[in-house]
């Protein structure tokens, strides 16, 4: 009976990590009553293809694994954690803190519906978050079983090195699917349009995201996958394996470049450099297996990539260039009116710049008078339904549309103010009115707001939110309720537009600290550090041979690179579960 339970756990884990990244499932998701409080009034929800299916799959597999592991512990007395070892005691403590903080943050949340589901734009609610430790323990159990099975005696260990391992098959499947989908999207049409049968609007022009919510998550997935491709390429000792893994390593790295994610670009390159150092310095050239075949294969594949680049109209080359220099759209024109503050007081809109101010005032006849900070009336001109301003406001233009005044200050987007009853009301692009557009905090140290495509601004304004989340957080998916939205001046200078909702902190660590608590975030960081340190100690304890040991290096490299990547990217159910599986697998080693 036990062997069937063991087999079920193993196959579930392997099936899960093989299928999860590629799930595309159409689902109409509606905002709940809590989310509607901060969402535009004309928006009922969105059509999801990337998150709901992955979240549902995670919950189903997680519950099945929980039941199977419960049977392993209670019926067969299996020890998933050895409390005699300090490492496992620390792991147990970290996971305990994570679980308690996640549950209590949901119980104490002001927005419980959102915390349970994770929200329409996340689907990573309490139930998904609680199942991540289950995935960790299941992967740990599976890889411990595999390690014990392969280490019974020397003959079996040697045989295991010569045959195709389960891990190698899984990485092979992932790399092949990634390669095929990348070619389809590069030369034919976006994968989502192919899967859904109709065109979908995407803000990520020329950025490959495949079956992930955005190119960033696709790049994060490749950051996790690439070290294992590199490991199997270095390890390959036959013609078939050498050629195959050389091809898949190059195509996997190329796919990362196609996402145009700058962080992914440099992290994948760093992973490649790390494995090159490993192969040359640690393993020594005399221990290599079929180096000439690997070199010729890599060179040939690079040649094919270059030819494909020509066939695709230079898309790969432009993607590489954009990734390397973070080729993002600027938030403003070369000449613009730099805004420091925007205030609305009944019949007056005051836009304060660095050296002066532009004031829009409604008079008693409901006409708009434009003045400077000293109330001097500006000599404006009108042409083609637009209003133009004299120096020093020559970069500003204005106009009227649907009973609203719009102002173009030279940023990507305009700002709008609805006029009614002799008063101005800030208005979103969809016509909904906004109550408060003030910054809500000090404007000191704002010079870094635009760094990393505006993330500096979001991080700076997220830090004050954390003063109330030391022990427990506000609940999963609730970040948007506590972040100061509609800060016109801050949004213009960091994002270039005001018609957007900041619903995530764009950092997995800040996300955890806000939703599950700072203690929870620290516990997860400690767990990751413990696992990586153990892996590094095993890898460096003695000089490994080419056939064994380097898998620990591959896993540690993938985890560290991904955790660096997560510093500027939110956690997502589309890729974060894979991190927990890799963590558990490395622990099981």
């Amino acid at each position: 009976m036990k062997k069937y339970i063991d087999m079920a756990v193993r196959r579930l884990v392997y099936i899960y990590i093989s299928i999860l990244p590629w799930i595309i499932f159409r689902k109409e998701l509606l905002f709940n009553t809590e989310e509607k409080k901060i969402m535009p009034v004309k928006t009922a929800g969105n059509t999801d293809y990337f998150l709901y299916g992955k979240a549902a799959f995670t919950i189903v597999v997680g519950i099945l694994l929980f039941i199977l592991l419960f049977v392993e512990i209670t019926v067969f007395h299996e020890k998933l954690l050895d409390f005699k070892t300090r490492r496992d005691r620390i792991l147990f403590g970290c996971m305990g803190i994570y679980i308690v903080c996640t549950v209590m943050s949901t119980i104490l949340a002001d927005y419980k519906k959102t915390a349970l589901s994770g929200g329409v734009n996340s689907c990573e609610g309490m139930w998904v978050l609680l199942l991540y430790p289950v995935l960790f323990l299941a992967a740990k159990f599976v890889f411990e079983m595999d390690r014990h099975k392969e280490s019974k005696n020397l003959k079996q260990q040697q045989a295991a090195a010569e045959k195709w391992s389960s891990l190698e098959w899984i990485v092979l499947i992932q790399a092949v699917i990634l390669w095929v989908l990348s070619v389809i999207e590069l030369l034919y049409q976006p994968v989502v349009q192919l899967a859904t049968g109709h065109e979908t609007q995407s803000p990520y022009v020329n950025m490959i995201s495949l079956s992930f919510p955005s190119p960033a998550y696709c790049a994060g997935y490749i950051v996790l996958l690439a070290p294992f491709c590199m490991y199997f390429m270095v390890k390959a000792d036959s013609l078939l394996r050498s050629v195959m893994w050389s091809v898949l390593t190059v195509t996997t790295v190329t796919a990362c470049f196609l996402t145009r994610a700058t962080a992914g670009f440099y992290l994948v390159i760093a992973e490649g450099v790390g494995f090159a150092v490993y192969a040359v310095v640690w393993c020594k050239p005399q221990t290599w297996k079929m180096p000439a075949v690997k070199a010729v294969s890599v060179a040939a594949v690079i040649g094919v990539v270059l030819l494909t680049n020509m066939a695709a109209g230079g898309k790969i080359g432009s993607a590489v260039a954009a990734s390397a220099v973070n080729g993002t759209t600027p938030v403003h024109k070369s000449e613009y009116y730099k805004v420091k503050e925007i205030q609305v007081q009944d019949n007056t809109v005051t836009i304060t710049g660095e050296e002066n101010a532009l004031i829009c005032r409604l008079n008693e006849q409901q006409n708009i008078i434009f003045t400077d900070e000293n109330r001097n009336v500006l000599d404006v001109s009108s042409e083609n339904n637009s209003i133009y301003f004299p120096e020093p406001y020559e970069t500003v233009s204005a106009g009227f549309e649907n009973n609203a005044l719009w102002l173009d200050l030279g940023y990507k987007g305009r700002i709008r103010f609805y006029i009614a009853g002799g008063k101005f009301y800030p208005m979103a692009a969809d016509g909904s009115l906004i109550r408060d557009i003030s910054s809500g905090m000090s404007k000191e140290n704002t010079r870094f707001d635009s760094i990393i495509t505006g993330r500096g601004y979001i991080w700076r304004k997220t830090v004050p939110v954390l003063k109330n989340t030391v022990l427990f957080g506000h609940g999963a998916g609730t970040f948007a309720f506590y972040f100061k939205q509609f800060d016109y001046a801050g949004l213009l200078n960091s994002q270039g537009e005001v018609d957007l909702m900041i619903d995530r902190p764009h950092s997995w660590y800040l996300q955890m600290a806000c939703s599950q608590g700072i203690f929870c975030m620290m516990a997860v960081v400690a767990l990751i550090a413990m696992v990586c340190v153990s892996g590094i100690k095993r890898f460096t304890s003695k000089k490994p041979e080419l056939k064994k040991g380097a898998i620990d290096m591959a896993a540690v490299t993938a985890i560290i690179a991904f955790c660096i990547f997560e510093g500027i990217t939110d956690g997502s159910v589309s890729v974060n579960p894979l991190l927990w599986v890799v963590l558990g697998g490395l622990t099981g080693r």
Side-chain angles (χ1 to χ4, degrees), residues 82-94:
D82 184 0
F83 293 102
K84 294 181 180 179
T85 65
R86 183 178 65 176
R87 184 202 67 174
D88 281 13
R89 289 198 299 270
I90 294 176
L91 291 178
F92 177 78
C94 291

Side-chain angles (χ1 to χ4, degrees), residues 242-254:
S242 295
V243 173
M244 180 187 66
W245 285 113
S246 297
V247 171
L248 293 178
T249 298
V250 174
T251 54
T252 297
V253 172
T254 303

Side-chain angles (χ1 to χ4, degrees), residues 352-408:
T352 304
E354 291 187 309
E355 298 178 353
N356 47 45
L358 174 63
I359 299 174
C360 313
R361 181 180 292 107
L362 284 169
N363 61 18
E364 294 180 355
Q365 289 75 35
Q366 304 296 299
N367 296 319
I368 299 180
I369 307 298
F370 299 100
T371 69
D372 61 15
E373 68 277 12
N374 297 317
R375 294 182 179 271
N376 297 316
V377 177
L378 300 178
D379 185 16
V380 300
S381 60
S382 179
E383 184 179 351
N384 297 327
N385 297 322
S386 293
I387 300 171
Y388 298 95
F389 294 79
E391 293 185 357
Y393 310 99
E394 66 273 13
T395 57
V396 180
S397 61
F400 296 93
E401 187 176 48
N402 298 326
N403 207 35
L405 168 69
W406 59 261
L407 288 159
D408 186 341

Side-chain angles (χ1 to χ4, degrees), residues 456-476:
Y457 164 77
I458 299 173
W459 295 340
R460 178 175 67 87
K461 294 193 66 176
T462 297
V463 171
V465 177
L466 305 183
K467 64 183 179 182
N468 298 319
T469 64
V470 176
L471 189 58
F472 303 121
H474 292 305

Side-chain angles (χ1 to χ4, degrees), residues 541-559:
S541 61
K542 60 181 180 179
K543 190 173 181 179
E545 298 177 2
L546 192 61
K547 287 182 181 292
K548 60 180 182 179
I551 188 65
D552 292 331
M553 177 188 176
V556 170
T557 301
I559 291 168

Side-chain angles (χ1 to χ4, degrees), residues 10 14 145-152 155-170 172 231-232 235-238 240-241 244-245 547:
R10 178 185 287 107
Y14 289 158
M145 284 193 297
D146 291 345
R147 177 171 57 86
H148 291 316
K149 184 178 179 181
E150 293 176 3
S151 303
K152 286 183 179 179
K155 289 183 178 181
Q156 286 187 0
Q157 189 176 15
Q158 291 174 341
E162 294 172 0
K163 71 178 184 180
W164 290 63
S165 66
S166 299
L167 179 60
E168 187 169 6
W169 276 112
I170 291 171
L172 171 66
Y231 159 70
F232 287 117
K235 173 183 177 251
D237 57 0
S238 68
L240 173 64
R241 287 186 179 183
M244 180 187 66
W245 285 113
K547 287 182 181 292

